[in-house]
Amino acid sequence: MRVQQATKSEISPAQALADRTAWMSRLNEPLKSAGTVIDALEGREICAEGQETETFYKVLSGVVRVCRFLADGRRQIEAFHVAGDMFGLELGDERVMSAEAVTDCRLVAYRRRGIEQQAKTDHTVSQQLFQYAMQSLSQAQCHSLLLSRRGAAEKVAAFLLDWMEKTAGENTLQLPMSRQDIADYLGLTIESVSRSMSQFERNRTIALSGARHIRILNQAALEDTTA
Amino acid sequence: MRVQQATKSEISPAQALADRTAWMSRLNEPLKSAGTVIDALEGREICAEGQETETFYKVLSGVVRVCRFLADGRRQIEAFHVAGDMFGLELGDERVMSAEAVTDCRLVAYRRRGIEQQAKTDHTVSQQLFQYAMQSLSQAQCHSLLLSRRGAAEKVAAFLLDWMEKTAGENTLQLPMSRQDIADYLGLTIESVSRSMSQFERNRTIALSGARHIRILNQAALEDTTA
DNA sequence: CGCTTAATTGATCAGGGTCAATCGTGGTGG
DNA sequence: CCACCACGATTGACCCTGATCAATTAAGCG
């Protein structure tokens, strides 16, 4: 996996990626024996708000969105997860977050009780749980940062760069999620996301071939927009 | 400590408070011998971005703000911490977040190495680290939710309710932080915060006696605004 | 090839940002 | 003790961006 050079020192996505990579590799061994493999079709609900928090998951393939549904009908997407990411572990007894398959995907489901039991005797397991939590925390903080950005274009640019890193594509990226998903992740409307994309296209910053296949023409320009 | 009834099921601040309380009580014993007490005067920096992450903190008294400074000069406040809260633990070797004293405050500083060493042998310590991380995660997610809210008034209302819970004041609350602090926490400008406050005052939802002393006249109205 | 849904584009509007002036408060010194 | 000062907070006027509503285009899929 290629490590992209960080563009701005402030948040260091490169560091985040390095952390994530290290943590993934350390994660595999002790947990892999415990879980059960699950397949979820595109659009299917993996777990829902209100359910008991007896399981958590690791993505083997595909993309997952973790979100909450608000009283006013809006949907807030907290994160997109790709292969190697874990999600669905919560402190309380009842889930606050839902998770859905953005694409068909294959997961490993772990029993929370079992892992917590393991953690009591095996320090590497408890360390992994801690690292998982801190990793999620770091991601959530990056998301806060994204949401607090002023302009729509800045948000979209930051999103594209983040996603490019997550998928490590050369300079083309495939967006598996809809514009609505992106909008709900960035706290914008579909229209604003679309307009920003079109603007980037006019600027020759990106090139679209189909709404979900993007070629980065001028990464520096994107990074400047992020500012 | 009084547990406020949750107003909307979606996020359950009451549950968050209960979790926090439980975790605080469990936290005290194994860690309290390890730390050193520190006093910080109002406005003073406690730790800064770029420093090594060799210590983390617990608040004994006073209020702390944790924030990051962005390239464009803006400041994003991630959280306000009060007595019993912990902060400053990060995964990487270098801090991403700064912390400053909102009021004069007294802290306990823990050596990260020492605690991590303890965690290797003492499972209760590692469990506490995990709980700390998950608790922070939950808070960060609440903050994301706050930032994604549409209106300025909604944000301010939510902030006032959250703060009331944190400090458990009957129906009056003292705001130790400036309007600028609130604005940077909510992703607004001082003016918007001020306008929202004034609006609530005109609505007879709150009463101000001095900018930082607030009496809640109509909590239900605040909660409705939160929507 | 046509249908259905996603995405784009356009026109209008409202809410919050910005700039600027005023008010209030707390603190200091005469 | 009071007057003044400095800074934080409020208020007002205006502008600009993104939300909203509506129409059109494009794309994926049977």
Side-chain angles (χ1 to χ4, degrees):
Chain A
M1 192 179 277
R2 191 170 61 94
V3 174
Q4 191 76 27
Q5 183 55 246
T7 60
K8 292 280 188 290
S9 66
E10 58 184 48
I11 236 346
S12 181
Q15 183 57 40
L17 179 59
D19 288 350
R20 176 148 38 88
T21 308
W23 140 241
M24 272 171 56
S25 60
R26 253 175 298 162
L27 178 65
N28 283 327
E29 316 83 31
L31 254 51
K32 78 174 159 195
S33 57
T36 61
V37 173
I38 289 179
D39 286 306
L41 294 173
E42 176 180 332
R44 280 284 300 278
E45 182 178 271
I46 296 162
C47 60
E49 183 187 339
Q51 289 178 347
E52 293 203 348
T53 53
E54 56 191 19
T55 52
F56 61 97
Y57 306 86
K58 186 170 71 166
V59 181
L60 293 179
S61 67
V63 178
V64 173
R65 62 173 173 255
V66 172
C67 50
R68 41 179 33 141
F69 297 94
L70 308 182
D72 59 4
R74 267 176 28 240
R75 183 183 65 163
Q76 155 93 338
I77 294 186
E78 264 296 318
F80 295 103
H81 294 293
V82 299
D85 291 345
M86 302 193 59
F87 67 92
L89 188 50
E90 296 190 29
L91 258 193
D93 294 331
E94 231 182 62
R95 287 198 186 285
V96 170
M97 304 290 229
S98 306
E100 298 165 345
V102 173
T103 65
D104 292 348
C105 54
R106 173 160 292 184
L107 312 167
V108 192
Y110 300 100
R111 304 237 122 235
R112 185 182 160 185
R113 295 262 166 216
I115 300 294
E116 281 175 352
Q117 202 59 38
Q118 271 191 53
K120 277 183 186 152
T121 56
D122 186 347
H123 175 62
T124 64
V125 172
S126 69
Q127 198 168 15
Q128 283 162 20
L129 286 177
F130 175 65
Q131 296 244 352
Y132 160 78
M134 290 299 286
Q135 189 59 49
S136 302
L137 175 59
S138 173
Q139 277 180 234
Q141 289 168 343
C142 287
H143 189 216
S144 287
L145 198 65
L146 204 55
L147 288 171
S148 75
R149 284 191 190 290
R150 297 288 152 121
E154 299 173 27
K155 290 184 181 181
V156 174
F159 172 76
L160 291 177
L161 290 169
D162 281 1
W163 189 254
M164 189 166 62
E165 238 174 58
K166 239 183 153 47
T167 56
E170 282 308 311
N171 53 2
T172 70
L173 61 168
Q174 203 76 29
L175 295 178
M177 71 290 286
S178 70
R179 293 290 191 267
Q180 186 66 61
D181 284 337
I182 299 174
D184 289 345
Y185 180 71
L186 298 177
L188 296 171
T189 58
I190 324 180
E191 292 95 330
S192 290
V193 173
S194 193
R195 271 185 249 274
S196 296
M197 293 279 201
S198 302
Q199 180 194 320
F200 290 144
E201 207 179 7
R202 279 192 299 274
N203 295 347
R204 311 269 178 241
T205 304
I206 64 173
L208 296 172
S209 41
R212 302 190 184 188
H213 184 262
I214 297 180
R215 172 186 291 263
I216 308 291
L217 300 178
N218 187 350
Q219 184 168 341
L222 267 190
E223 284 157 359
D224 289 348
T225 311
T226 298
Chain B
M1 193 178 277
R2 192 169 60 96
V3 174
Q4 191 75 28
Q5 183 54 246
T7 59
K8 293 281 188 290
S9 65
E10 56 185 51
I11 235 344
S12 181
Q15 182 57 40
L17 180 58
D19 289 349
R20 175 148 38 88
T21 309
W23 141 241
M24 272 170 56
S25 60
R26 254 174 297 161
L27 179 65
N28 282 328
E29 317 84 31
L31 255 52
K32 79 175 158 198
S33 57
T36 61
V37 174
I38 291 179
D39 286 307
L41 294 173
E42 177 180 331
R44 279 285 300 278
E45 181 177 272
I46 295 162
C47 60
E49 182 187 339
Q51 289 178 347
E52 292 203 350
T53 53
E54 55 191 18
T55 53
F56 61 97
Y57 307 86
K58 186 170 72 164
V59 181
L60 293 179
S61 67
V63 178
V64 172
R65 62 172 172 256
V66 171
C67 51
R68 42 179 31 143
F69 297 94
L70 307 182
D72 59 3
R74 269 176 25 241
R75 182 183 66 162
Q76 155 92 338
I77 294 186
E78 264 296 317
F80 295 104
H81 293 293
V82 299
D85 291 344
M86 302 193 58
F87 67 92
L89 188 50
E90 297 191 29
L91 256 193
D93 295 331
E94 231 182 63
R95 287 197 186 286
V96 169
M97 306 289 232
S98 307
E100 299 165 345
V102 173
T103 66
D104 293 347
C105 54
R106 174 160 293 185
L107 313 167
V108 193
Y110 301 100
R111 304 236 123 236
R112 185 182 161 185
R113 296 260 166 217
I115 300 295
E116 281 175 351
Q117 203 58 39
Q118 271 191 52
K120 278 183 186 153
T121 56
D122 185 348
H123 175 63
T124 65
V125 172
S126 69
Q127 198 168 15
Q128 283 161 21
L129 286 177
F130 176 65
Q131 296 244 352
Y132 159 77
M134 289 298 287
Q135 190 59 49
S136 302
L137 176 58
S138 173
Q139 277 179 234
Q141 289 169 344
C142 287
H143 189 218
S144 287
L145 197 65
L146 205 56
L147 288 171
S148 76
R149 283 189 191 292
R150 298 289 154 127
E154 299 173 28
K155 289 184 180 181
V156 174
F159 172 76
L160 291 176
L161 291 170
D162 281 1
W163 189 255
M164 190 165 61
E165 238 175 57
K166 239 183 153 48
T167 56
E170 281 309 311
N171 52 3
T172 69
L173 61 169
Q174 203 76 29
L175 295 179
M177 71 290 285
S178 69
R179 294 290 191 267
Q180 186 66 61
D181 285 337
I182 299 174
D184 290 345
Y185 180 70
L186 298 177
L188 296 171
T189 57
I190 326 181
E191 292 94 331
S192 289
V193 173
S194 194
R195 272 184 250 274
S196 296
M197 293 277 201
S198 302
Q199 179 195 320
F200 290 143
E201 207 179 7
R202 280 192 300 273
N203 295 347
R204 309 269 179 242
T205 304
I206 64 174
L208 296 171
S209 40
R212 302 191 182 188
H213 184 260
I214 297 180
R215 173 186 291 263
I216 308 291
L217 300 178
N218 187 350
Q219 185 168 342
L222 266 191
E223 283 157 358
D224 289 348
T225 312
T226 298

